[in-house]
Amino acid sequence: MTALLILPLLLPFALPALARRALDRLAPVAALWAVTASAVTLAGCSLAALGAFFLTGLLTLPFFAALGELVRPLHTASDGFVLPLAALSVGALAVCVWSLARSVLRQTRAFRAARTQAGRGPAAGDLCVVDSPCPDAYALPGRPHRIVVTTGMLRSLDAAEREALFAHERAHNRGGHHFFLAAAELAAHCHPALRRVRDVVRLAVERAADEAAASAVGDRRLTARAIARAALAGQGGAAERPAFVSGAASGPVPRRVQALLAVERGRRAGGWAAALLVACAGLSCVASATGMIDFHHRVEVAQGEAER
């Protein structure tokens, strides 16, 4: 059981490289779904493995074994490692809970502040203009969705570039990209290796919105120019926002511009990248499920002995 439950803790370390390759090979929307789903699955499996180690360690202690109506403390083939692993699991779970709680509180406060700021400015449809000399623009989820842009950003772009920028931000809201960013943010607090995947998800979100904007305005070069100019204008001036809110200058802008200007190629060869992501997530699920089933079986056997 120990070997099976260690696997879900190791597999997330392979995900960052696989996620980057998937984003290079797949269409941005497909990569976004595949990478985010894999990250969430691996995060859940790693938490399940930590929980199994913790419960196993508890039931090796006579007091907790008695509470669980076991005739004797639980024994496994690797008893010498169970208590140290259980202690490490308690520490890891405590760090995860503390980190998640802090992140949720911080993101909630930042989101409320952003909604309050957006509500103060004049609105035209889904567009909200904030009077600020700092160039900034971002898609703000909620009811209703908003596109927030500062007067400084409006002055930094010409009319065509502004339309491309608005199309980019509308694509974020229309595609529900805040859900992907929130899921990646939560997964990053469940396993340290998944923090690097969070950056890949953010880039995938921006690439998906870039492609949607290019399709909406019918000009990839114009979209690339608008993104580049918005990023240059907004350097160092963006206000603090929740991690699940996409800004105009999010992600590695040079890479995004290069992707818009490059001729699309190699997308059909990306099936194996998606297959590897699915295999990684599936293997983690199987390992954690098998380990949990084995743990449950051992407990039932011990309880059965108690009933005799």
Side-chain angles (χ1 to χ4, degrees):
M1 181 188 73
T2 302
L4 285 173
L5 290 176
I6 286 177
L7 194 58
L9 301 178
L10 296 178
L11 282 171
F13 289 101
L15 191 61
L18 292 176
R20 288 191 295 268
R21 186 58 61 89
L23 183 55
D24 289 339
R25 294 289 183 176
L26 296 172
V29 173
L32 177 61
W33 277 97
V35 172
T36 306
S38 299
V40 171
T41 300
L42 289 174
C45 290
S46 65
L47 290 180
L50 291 174
F53 281 132
F54 169 60
L55 291 176
T56 302
L58 278 183
L59 293 179
T60 61
L61 302 175
F63 174 75
F64 292 101
L67 287 179
E69 299 182 352
L70 305 185
V71 69
R72 56 179 174 76
L74 195 67
H75 289 289
T76 68
S78 52
D79 281 344
F81 298 97
V82 168
L83 283 178
L85 286 173
L88 290 173
S89 297
V90 171
L93 287 170
V95 170
C96 287
V97 171
W98 174 250
S99 179
L100 276 170
R102 287 185 61 192
S103 177
V104 169
L105 289 174
R106 186 172 61 251
Q107 305 299 332
T108 300
R109 286 196 296 265
F111 178 67
R112 287 177 178 172
R115 292 291 299 186
T116 300
Q117 183 188 40
R120 292 173 182 160
D126 63 345
L127 182 63
C128 179
V129 179
V130 175
D131 186 13
S132 172
C134 298
D136 195 14
Y138 53 92
L140 186 63
R143 294 183 179 178
H145 292 322
R146 294 290 190 192
I147 298 170
V148 181
V149 61
T150 64
T151 52
M153 180 63 78
L154 292 176
R155 286 192 292 266
S156 300
L157 306 178
D158 62 31
E161 291 166 348
R162 288 197 292 268
E163 288 304 315
L165 180 66
F166 297 158
H168 173 93
E169 302 302 344
R170 286 192 176 97
H172 283 312
N173 284 332
R174 187 169 55 251
H177 291 166
H178 51 284
F179 292 118
F180 295 94
L181 293 172
E185 181 70 18
L186 293 176
H189 292 283
C190 297
H191 195 288
L194 298 178
R195 294 171 189 169
R196 290 179 290 168
V197 178
R198 175 176 52 188
D199 296 331
V200 179
V201 171
R202 182 165 292 278
L203 177 56
V205 159
E206 296 303 328
R207 285 283 298 111
D210 291 344
E211 293 296 330
S215 177
V217 301
D219 191 336
R220 299 178 68 85
R221 188 170 294 277
L222 169 63
T223 305
R225 187 173 73 247
I227 290 168
R229 291 192 63 184
L232 287 173
Q235 282 184 341
E240 183 180 357
R241 294 189 295 272
F244 55 84
V245 170
S246 302
S250 299
V253 174
R255 185 175 174 183
R256 292 167 53 196
V257 170
Q258 183 181 18
L260 280 169
L261 297 178
V263 178
E264 293 293 309
R265 62 182 183 277
R267 296 299 185 193
R268 293 184 179 179
W272 64 270
L276 285 176
L277 285 174
V278 172
C280 187
L283 182 59
S284 183
C285 285
V286 170
S288 60
T290 304
M292 293 292 288
I293 290 171
D294 179 71
F295 164 74
H296 186 260
H297 175 70
R298 290 175 185 274
V299 171
E300 283 189 329
V301 170
Q303 286 175 333
E305 291 178 355
E307 291 173 0
R308 293 193 189 108

